[in-house]
Structures are given as C-alpha cells and as structure tokens.
Amino acid sequence: MGNVQVIRQWINPKHLSSEAIQLVEKQFYANQVPSIQLADFFIQDKAEEVYRLLEKIKYNHDYIPHLHSYATVKIESVQVLKPFFSFLDSSGFKALIGTMLKHEIKTIEPQILMLQHKDYTLAQDSRILKDTLLFCFDFTQNWPADSGGKTGVLPGKSEQVFFNRMFNSLCIIKLKPDSHYFLKYINANAGRNKVFLVISQMPLEIPSSS
Amino acid sequence: MKQNPRIEALKGWIQEQHFDGKNVKRYAREFQHNKPFSHLVLKNFLQPKQLVFLRTALEKQEFEIKDTDLFYLQQTKELRNSNSIVFSSFYTMLSSSYFQKWLQEITDIQKLKNTIDFIGTNFPRCGYLLPHDDFYEHRKIAYTFYLSQTLCAKEGGVLELFAVNSENSPTKVVRSYPIQENSLIFLKVTRQSYHQVTEMLTDKKRLTLGGWFHG
C-alpha cells in the first residue's frame, strides 16, 4: 500500500483494517448493481472542514432544462480545497480504493456540485461509454429524507436503485455502458438545506471479471 | 332545420361554442401561431355535468406512484378499455371521426389514428414533471383535460412551455398555464415541444385525463 500516513490523516481508521477492506469487495459485488456506500468515511474533523469550505464557495448556477439544474465551480479556482483534491489524487488513496475493489484506480477528477430546492440532474445527462466507477463523496448535512436529492441509478433493463444522502459518506457505483445515473429533483421539503457533493467518474480501462 | 351530425354527436360532452365555425377558425389560427410551439388552451370545454361524471369516475380509480428521474406523480392504468361506462363513452367520443375531424381542422394534422392513449394522472404534494418534449414513436398531439379545481400559480402544478435554441435544446420558460378547471390543452408534439409541470406546493389535487393522439 502507498502513502499510509496520508491515508491515516484523512480516512476513518474503521475503514483501514484488512477485515474492513476485504468486506468492501464482498459487499460491492453482492449487489445487482455493484455498489457500496461507506458511512463515516473521513475522519469527522476532516469531513466537517471540507463541508465548511464547500459552504463558503461562490458557485455558478448551470441550467440546461432537459439535462440538469445545479450549481458548480471550477476545481482550479477553489484553492482552499487543494489539500482535499491532492489527497484524492494521491497514490495512497488510489491504492486503497484499488485494493478494496480489485480495480486499478488511475485518475479521480472531481467535480463539485451544490444542489438546492428545484435542482436536479436527469438520466440523459450522464453519458457512460464504457464500464465506469462513479465516486460520490457526500458532504450534505441534516438532509430531510423526503426532500429528494437521492442518487438514482438506472442499470439498463433492471429496476432503478437509489442511494440516500448521507453526510461524510463515500458511495462507489459501477456503471455499465447501457446504464445512467441522476440526482433526484429536490423538492420544497428541503427548505434552505443544500446538497454538497464531490463527484468523479472513472472509466475502467481493463474489463473486470464482474 | 337539419342539425349538424358532428355537433349532435359531440355536444353531449362538449360545450357547443367550441364547434362554432368562427371559433374553430380562430382556434386554428391560435394553434398555429402560439409560441413557443403550436398549442391551444380551451376553457369551459366540457359540459358541466360531464366534468363532474369524469372527475368522480377518475377519483374512484386506482393510482400508482410513478417515481423516476423525470417525474414524481400518480397514474392510473390505460383507461381506454376501462369497465367504467363514463370512460368508455368518453373515449368513444374522443376516438370518433367527428372529434378527430374537429381536431384536424384546428391543428392541420391529418391522418390521426383512432387509438389514443388515455390515462388519468394526479400530482400529489411535491409531485412534478421535469422538462421533456414528448417526442416518441408516432405521437402527434399531446392533450390534457383538467378536471380538478382551479389553482393559482403559487400553488404549483403549472404547465410551462420552453423556448428552444438553434440546437433544439430548451432554454427558458416563455409561457405558463396555471391549472384551470374544465380546460383542455393540446400541444403539437415535435422535437421542440419542451414543457414541464412545476412542483405541487399544495395538498389540493391536480387531476387530469390525457395522453396522445398518434398519426
């Protein structure tokens, strides 16, 4: 494994034991849509810090009605989050995830999304051209359960699958070329609450055995 | 004086002013020229007692929740083969050559098939339908009969129509129609006919009967 010290600075130790790492692979591939949602992923202080920084960013709203409505910002312009993105790009973190999922992780290019009432993405906004791992780092706090905002996956011909919003979680989903994902419309029950996500799509170069 | 057979066939369901020759010509002009794409809104459409019959029959139907990326709403199964005499009779009228000829005079869309999609829909609180164009297979005209009480715009459930850019992508809302009881709206289905229904912000019902005419 790569830079262990860097990993231990960021990630909750409960996810770093060999038993926990082995369990991830089992759970990931046990689902019809290979996926896992790891709760309390980061050390609490780190998660809170990233949340505070995400809250303070000046976002630009991007609205293409038949595709999406959300706020975003260019990664390069968010210097305060550079340590976090450097960590995501570190050999240590990629080695950890690679060990968990038995896939080589080459690049994690993050996108920051902030969604509030009336925001959404539609399935046709996601373009999956080859087997892809979708990473969704969730920094959404105090999210009312009936507000929408869930991550939905349409796995081709099978039934859709949903993942709830959960602060300080990492959701990893394996998407095949005929599948789509979306963020469910956020309804009025959300009030002034906001969804904060850091999302990354990583196409898999080498076909997996699953 | 010999009655127009079309009027006789239809006026049991529909208020007579909608068959007046002058009105039909006006409807045709409005349909063609309405922006951002061809559509028409007709108020006080059904005979009042028929409105009540249809609404009562629809309220007795079983609705299933439909929850996807694009919408959150409740729908009945396809009603054209329903056991309900009210729906059966109404569908017979909709699929009749008399009604289709009336519709063709307004829309100038010829050769409509006599199989029509015919479904009941309700939007519960927080229900919505996000932007889409309805363009699919042989759909030509999307239609909706609004059966429940009139709502104001801030209560939600507003039908909104989008302008499109040179790439036929929707840009912004340019027409809005809050729910009006006993109105009929129909839209010409094309790759530019983008529309949405805004989120319902009330517990009141948004009951409709609608679907598509195919060609």
Side-chain angles (χ1 to χ4, degrees), chain A residues 35-107:
Chain A
S35 56
I36 192 160
Q37 194 165 19
L38 298 166
D40 301 316
F41 187 69
F42 295 107
I43 291 168
Q44 186 70 11
D45 286 350
K46 288 290 191 190
E48 294 280 357
E49 187 187 337
V50 172
Y51 165 74
R52 279 194 295 273
L53 294 171
L54 287 170
E55 237 197 339
K56 288 182 184 157
I57 291 172
K58 193 163 186 259
Y59 292 89
N60 300 310
H61 196 253
D62 191 21
Y63 180 45
I64 303 175
H66 66 308
L67 295 180
H68 61 249
S69 170
Y70 53 59
T72 188
V73 64
K74 285 187 185 164
I75 295 293
E76 314 82 69
S77 66
V78 190
Q79 289 296 313
V80 290
L81 281 168
K82 203 170 172 187
F84 175 56
F85 296 135
S86 295
F87 167 70
L88 295 185
D89 201 35
S90 68
S91 55
F93 180 66
K94 287 189 273 194
L96 171 66
I97 301 296
T99 304
M100 283 174 168
L101 301 181
K102 299 288 185 285
H103 268 298
E104 187 186 359
I105 307 297
K106 287 196 173 175
T107 53

Side-chain angles (χ1 to χ4, degrees), chain B residues 93-107:
Chain B
M93 184 277 295
L94 280 185
S95 56
S96 69
S97 58
Y98 293 121
F99 186 82
Q100 299 232 351
K101 190 148 193 311
W102 174 83
L103 195 59
Q104 284 163 5
E105 280 178 24
I106 294 171
T107 63

Side-chain angles (χ1 to χ4, degrees), chain A residues 6 20 72-73 109 134:
Chain A
V6 167
T72 188
V73 64
E109 290 178 0
L134 175 70

